[in-house]
Amino acid sequence: MTDPHFHGQAGVRIAGTGLGLPEGRLTNADLEKIMDTSDEWIVQRTGIRERRKADPDQDSQLSMATKALDAALSDAGMKGSDLDLVINGTCSADSTVPSGACRVAANVGATPAGAFDLVAACSSFVYALNVADTMVRSGRAKSVGVIGCEFLTRMMDYSDRRVSILFGDGAGAAVVTADEDTRRGCLWQMTEGDGRDWEKLYRPMDESQIPEWDRENPIQQGCIRMSGQDIYRFAVTKFGEVIASGLEATGLKSEDISQFICHQSNIRILQKAMERNEIPDEKLRINIDRYGNTSAASVPIILHELRSEGKLAAGDLAMFVAFGAGLTWAANVWRV
Ligand code: ACO
């Protein structure tokens, strides 16, 4: 039966972007005061110099996500009531019942838009962007608010120096909307995962959730645990493979892509991806020095920075890439 609401293949445009960053900062010098670490070790192994740290008395996942989406709507010249759907990419929502997305949608006046949280750890924003592109392109939605927002510092055990130095808080959002130019939006998407390796990066809520490799270690429940070297190897391999797949599937070369908009996990992982895929420095923005790893928020923060500096013009090609716990990974090639 023909669906009267199906309008066919629309083009898809990123109409606006915005940020929701907490004021607080946690520098490597601050960490030196509370654990046995050094600025030199952290910078050399990760590229991080400072991260944003939300204040639990003032900030929340909801407040950061709302700020980011409000800013993206005003950048797009749109109102919350223009949105058909809000996707809140996060693994650190304030609550699961109701979802963070429902409350963000209410805060920005996007009712009765559909709203859901999308939990794919560091891949969440790119997963959500792929869903948004598909919904708009198919005509199922006209405009979608896509958020990547994390309050991760409340999931850190600061006696665990291998993990807690990495993560920071913040939010970025994009408003994705239908466009008459059908060439705009995703030329190619990948939205994948492999749960067999879940235990390499996880957050235990009770004893039963602690995998074999971590049983002997002191563990604070509710805090993120990671087998760092396994994740490092996964990330380096997957990053290179995903970029190569996107280029092969579209018949493009690295030089055809204006910007690679990549999850900021570790500067060494990003540098290896650049070497393997022959990507010059100016095409892969790194800001991990200022924000640390903000999981779902890292890609929309980079996207906003590039757009604000005029580095993504209409018609440019961008490749979005992220990977994270699950394990998950996602990518797309997007004609801006
Ligand atoms: N300060 C000082 N020394 C430290 C610290 C620290 N913060 N952390 C670990 N060390 C010490 C260790 O104790 C160890 O000492 P030892 O040999 O005496 O035991 C030594 O440094 C080496 O430890 P490793 O854990 O082997 O350090 P590694 O070189 O693997 O670096 C790191 C750790 C940075 C976490 C690395 O494994 C990594 O980048 N992994 C990728 C993980 C990642 O990016 N995760 C992001 C989240 S997941 C995502 O976004 C998908």
Side-chain angles (χ1 to χ4, degrees):
M1 199 172 78
T2 310
D3 179 346
H5 302 294
F6 185 80
H7 303 299
Q9 297 278 310
V12 191
R13 174 168 58 96
I14 296 170
T17 55
L19 301 181
L21 298 170
E23 293 292 319
R25 287 176 159 80
L26 183 66
T27 65
N28 291 350
D30 295 328
L31 291 173
E32 283 174 351
K33 290 180 201 144
I34 57 171
M35 65 175 74
D36 181 15
T37 192
S38 66
D39 176 57
E40 190 190 358
W41 193 97
I42 299 174
V43 172
Q44 196 258 321
R45 300 285 177 118
T46 71
I48 302 168
R49 293 183 187 278
E50 66 173 35
R51 326 111 188 93
R52 293 299 177 97
K53 188 172 188 311
D55 175 352
D57 292 331
Q58 288 178 29
D59 307 309
S60 60
Q61 201 270 341
L62 177 63
S63 69
M64 293 186 283
T66 300
K67 191 171 169 195
L69 185 55
D70 255 336
L73 282 164
S74 103
D75 185 38
M78 291 167 67
K79 300 188 296 297
S81 54
D82 295 325
L83 298 177
D84 307 310
L85 181 64
V86 173
I87 312 176
N88 181 36
T90 186
C91 62
S92 54
D94 303 326
S95 73
T96 51
V97 184
S99 72
C102 283
R103 296 195 56 197
V104 178
N107 281 354
V108 303
T111 46
F116 62 88
D117 288 358
L118 191 158
V119 186
C122 307
S123 311
S124 298
F125 181 81
V126 183
Y127 261 59
L129 209 49
N130 288 351
V131 172
D133 170 81
T134 304
M135 292 288 282
V136 174
R137 190 171 289 286
S138 68
R140 299 283 179 206
K142 184 156 185 263
S143 299
V144 183
V146 185
I147 305 161
C149 175
E150 304 284 11
F151 192 161
L152 292 173
T153 57
R154 65 182 169 188
M155 295 180 185
M156 290 300 120
D157 169 3
Y158 285 100
S159 66
D160 177 359
R161 64 180 183 171
R162 289 172 195 248
V163 176
S164 59
I165 55 145
L166 295 172
F167 294 95
D169 303 325
V175 171
V176 170
T177 193
D179 194 83
E180 283 176 4
D181 184 348
T182 54
R183 292 168 307 167
R184 297 179 91 169
C186 284
L187 280 61
W188 167 85
Q189 288 187 3
M190 176 184 276
T191 311
E192 294 187 350
D194 186 348
R196 289 172 299 182
D197 282 328
W198 69 269
E199 64 185 49
K200 304 292 191 317
L201 185 50
Y202 74 103
R203 179 176 175 238
M205 300 310 289
D206 64 50
E207 288 288 320
S208 71
Q209 296 174 349
I210 300 171
E212 196 63 39
W213 73 268
D214 220 4
R215 287 260 162 83
E216 301 303 315
N217 297 318
I219 289 182
Q220 205 170 303
Q221 281 172 18
C223 292
I224 291 177
R225 299 284 304 167
M226 178 176 68
S227 172
Q229 292 189 2
D230 285 326
I231 293 292
Y232 184 84
R233 277 191 290 274
F234 156 71
V236 166
T237 311
K238 193 51 78 182
F239 229 121
E241 279 175 14
V242 166
I243 292 174
S245 298
L247 294 176
E248 195 187 329
T250 51
L252 295 164
K253 297 190 172 56
S254 287
E255 54 264 36
D256 299 322
I257 306 289
S258 297
Q259 291 291 334
F260 291 82
I261 304 177
C262 296
H263 172 50
Q264 307 284 300
S265 54
N266 181 317
I267 197 166
R268 291 183 296 151
I269 294 170
L270 292 165
Q271 284 167 342
K272 289 221 173 343
M274 286 196 273
E275 277 165 32
R276 174 170 167 182
N277 300 95
E278 296 180 1
I279 300 168
D281 288 356
E282 67 275 12
K283 289 197 175 197
L284 197 158
R285 162 74 59 107
I286 293 176
N287 68 9
I288 194 169
D289 52 322
R290 288 176 282 134
Y291 297 109
N293 180 344
T294 55
S295 184
S298 75
V299 167
I301 292 173
I302 296 267
L303 172 64
H304 180 77
E305 287 185 353
L306 292 170
R307 272 175 50 94
S308 306
E309 293 167 23
K311 296 210 164 114
L312 281 174
D316 281 355
L317 292 168
M319 187 185 279
F320 290 85
V321 187
F323 55 90
L327 298 173
T328 56
W329 55 96
N332 64 55
V333 175
W334 190 296
R335 188 180 300 281
V336 178

